[in-house]
């Protein structure tokens, strides 16, 4: 006779060896459990509230999407990546209005600068862009950033954004904290999170509103 009735809960599943092996990545019947390579899975903690489970699921989906975005970018050309960087800057509010944004952008390959965009609608200041389409195995070190900073000095520029599909070394990150002009470093992880936030290369497939009781309504 089956041990469980039709109303199966997570705690019931945890008593089944096969489920424990899948969820924990180990074989519970082996005295010396071997490590099993597994991807991140959503927690099965039945003490979580429905909202906590929803938030955890949402975070899992966002991380998966970010990873897929980075893979898609890396298999494209450097021209595509430079266009993507400009699209992202426009969607973040730089370059002025949508109708004028394209005119405010200058494409250049001059002394380590890949593009220039207006910071605001009036064009009171410029932001200089550097876009590096690198694989994840390669990190961008301080000398690469110094070249970009040197190019900014040559233009008497005050602000720059260095965007890459890779990552930056600790030395590079510490370096930009001590210099003038102001330089922002955006690595692959930050890039994809910004793309998701500002709808670049992504589209909404579902939207849910979480509501609660309006106590003020009932206390009138």
């Amino acid at each position: 006779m089956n041990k469980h009735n039709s109303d199966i809960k997570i705690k019931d599943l945890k008593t089944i060896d096969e489920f424990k092996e899948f969820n924990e990545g180990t074989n519970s019947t082996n005295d010396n459990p071997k490590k099993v390579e597994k991807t991140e899975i959503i927690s099965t903690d039945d003490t979580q509230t429905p909202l906590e489970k929803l938030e955890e699921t949402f975070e899992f989906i966002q991380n998966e999407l970010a990873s897929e975005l980075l893979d898609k970018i890396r298999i494209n050309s450097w021209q595509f990546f430079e266009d993507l960087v400009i699209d992202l800057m426009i969607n973040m509010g730089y370059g002025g209005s949508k109708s004028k944004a394209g005119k405010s952008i200058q494409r250049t390959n001059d002394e380590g600068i890949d593009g220039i965009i207006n910071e605001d609608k009036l064009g009171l200041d410029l932001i200089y862009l550097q876009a590096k389409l690198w694989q994840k195995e390669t990190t961008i070190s301080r000398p690469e950033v110094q070249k970009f900073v040197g190019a900014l000095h040559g233009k008497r520029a005050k602000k720059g954004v260095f965007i890459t599909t890779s990552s930056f070394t600790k030395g590079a990150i510490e370096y930009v904290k001590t210099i003038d002009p102001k330089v922002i470093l955006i690595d692959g992880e930050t890039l994809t999170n910004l793309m998701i936030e500002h709808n670049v290369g992504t589209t909404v497939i579902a939207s849910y509103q979480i509501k609660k009781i309006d106590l003020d309504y009932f206390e009138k």
Side-chain angles (χ1 to χ4, degrees), residues 61-74:
I61 293 172
Q62 293 288 91
N63 290 339
E64 288 290 297
L65 175 58
S67 178
E68 291 176 10
L69 275 174
L70 205 50
D71 289 339
K72 287 287 188 183
I73 296 169
R74 284 175 175 150

Side-chain angles (χ1 to χ4, degrees), residues 51 208-218:
L51 184 57
Y208 304 93
Q209 288 185 328
I210 307 298
K211 298 185 179 182
K212 66 177 182 178
I213 292 177
D214 182 357
L215 295 178
D216 292 337
Y217 177 86
F218 291 95

Side-chain angles (χ1 to χ4, degrees), residues 30-208:
N30 194 330
D31 292 335
N32 297 306
K34 61 182 179 179
K35 292 183 180 179
V36 178
E37 185 177 351
K38 62 185 182 68
T39 58
E40 179 184 358
I41 63 173
I42 299 173
S43 171
T44 55
D45 185 1
D46 56 354
T47 64
Q48 289 181 306
T49 66
L51 184 57
E52 288 172 336
K53 291 179 180 179
L54 181 61
E55 289 174 345
E56 185 176 8
T57 301
F58 177 77
E59 183 178 356
F60 176 82
I61 293 172
Q62 293 288 91
N63 290 339
E64 288 290 297
L65 175 58
S67 178
E68 291 176 10
L69 275 174
L70 205 50
D71 289 339
K72 287 287 188 183
I73 296 169
R74 284 175 175 150
I75 63 174
N76 268 286
S77 66
W78 63 266
Q79 293 97 331
F80 171 86
F81 182 55
E82 288 185 1
D83 289 337
L84 183 154
V85 166
I86 291 173
D87 287 341
L88 176 60
M89 296 295 291
I90 292 172
N91 280 28
M92 291 175 65
Y94 297 98
S97 63
K98 279 288 184 180
S99 61
K100 297 180 180 179
K103 296 179 182 179
S104 71
I105 299 164
Q106 303 173 45
R107 298 294 295 272
T108 175
N109 191 21
D110 182 24
E111 300 176 357
I113 294 173
D114 295 323
I116 306 170
I117 190 168
N118 287 342
E119 184 178 22
D120 50 51
K121 294 180 180 180
L122 298 178
L124 294 175
D125 206 352
L126 298 175
I127 297 177
Y128 289 74
L129 307 175
Q130 173 69 283
K132 288 287 188 183
L133 180 60
W134 284 17
Q135 298 303 313
K136 62 182 178 181
E137 295 82 7
T138 310
T139 55
I140 293 179
S141 59
R142 175 170 171 165
E144 286 290 334
V145 180
Q146 285 178 315
K147 290 178 184 178
F148 179 52
V149 173
L152 295 179
H153 283 305
K155 298 292 185 181
R156 302 180 67 182
K158 298 178 181 179
K159 300 171 185 177
V161 180
F162 197 128
I163 304 179
T164 182
T165 51
S166 180
S167 59
F168 296 94
T169 63
K170 183 178 179 181
I173 295 171
E174 293 299 320
Y175 168 66
V176 298
K177 294 178 181 179
T178 62
I179 62 171
D180 189 21
K182 178 69 174 179
V183 174
I184 300 298
L185 303 180
I186 298 179
D187 60 15
E189 180 180 353
T190 305
L191 169 64
T192 52
N193 287 333
L194 288 172
M195 289 175 63
I196 293 171
E197 179 181 353
H198 296 280
N199 299 314
V200 177
T202 65
T203 185
V204 177
I205 59 172
S207 180
Y208 304 93

